Amino acid sequence: MGKTKATLDTNILISALGWEGNPKQVFAKVLKGEIKLVISDKHFTELERVLDYTKFQFTEEQKGRFKALVLAVATLVKPEEKIKVIKEDPDDNIVLECGVAGNVNYIVTGDPDLLKLKEFRGIKIRTPREFLQEVNDAGAARQIIVK
């Protein structure tokens, strides 16, 4: 079994930068090399746009360092398939496209439109808390088997 691959929705990446909590713990697993982050060019463009929202008040230095960090640790994919599953917010489909193109195990999101799917083409769609629980349980199970 290979390393867990995940696409982190923009809301998770923003939360990981700005606040303590489960999204930051998920991103920490990426930084430690425990999780392989997969992102697409459209997904990254959305991240850049959202980082600029004035309500977040991130400094230019914070935004620049975070974008560089994401690019340094992520595998960039170019989705070729156009997915139109989420009707309520069509922009959410770029997360599904990224996940499919990257052949990920998980999409981690706080978005209710994505979460209600629970799974898409074999990709588990989870909140940060659910994701952490599942990967931590899987890691513990592997340690028991190895011992």
Side-chain angles (χ1 to χ4, degrees):
M1 175 139 168
K3 188 180 291 189
T4 299
K5 292 195 296 185
T7 292
L8 307 184
D9 198 353
T10 303
N11 57 60
I12 302 305
L13 292 169
I14 295 290
S15 294
L17 173 61
W19 296 272
E20 296 300 321
N22 291 325
K24 188 170 232 139
Q25 289 179 40
V26 170
F27 194 67
K29 285 188 170 293
V30 170
L31 296 178
K32 291 176 193 169
E34 296 173 21
I35 306 294
K36 186 173 181 179
L37 175 63
V38 176
I39 195 166
S40 71
D41 51 348
K42 285 183 183 177
H43 190 182
F44 188 77
T45 299
E46 181 184 59
L47 174 64
E48 290 180 305
R49 181 176 54 81
V50 175
L51 280 169
D52 283 335
Y53 287 1
T54 54
K55 69 179 180 179
F56 294 127
Q57 300 180 344
F58 296 128
T59 66
E60 289 303 316
E61 182 182 352
Q62 286 174 311
K63 292 186 284 189
R65 291 176 78 187
F66 190 68
K67 289 186 285 189
L69 183 58
V70 168
L71 288 175
V73 298
T75 298
L76 196 62
V77 296
K78 292 200 179 283
E80 296 182 13
E81 181 183 359
K82 202 76 172 132
I83 295 173
K84 297 179 182 177
V85 173
I86 307 291
K87 307 283 189 247
E88 300 82 3
D89 187 358
D91 286 346
D92 289 342
N93 290 307
I94 66 169
V95 178
L96 296 174
E97 292 167 1
C98 178
V100 168
N103 194 30
V104 301
N105 309 98
Y106 288 91
I107 289 173
V108 183
T109 184
D111 187 301
D113 293 327
L114 288 167
L115 287 167
K116 72 181 177 188
L117 295 176
K118 294 187 182 2
E119 192 170 303
F120 181 76
R121 295 192 191 169
I123 301 168
K124 297 174 185 176
I125 302 173
R126 302 291 188 261
T127 65
R129 174 178 288 151
E130 293 166 339
F131 173 75
L132 288 168
Q133 182 70 49
E134 287 183 27
V135 297
N136 289 338
D137 286 351
R142 275 196 295 278
Q143 286 180 344
I144 291 168
I145 291 168
V146 171
K147 287 183 179 178

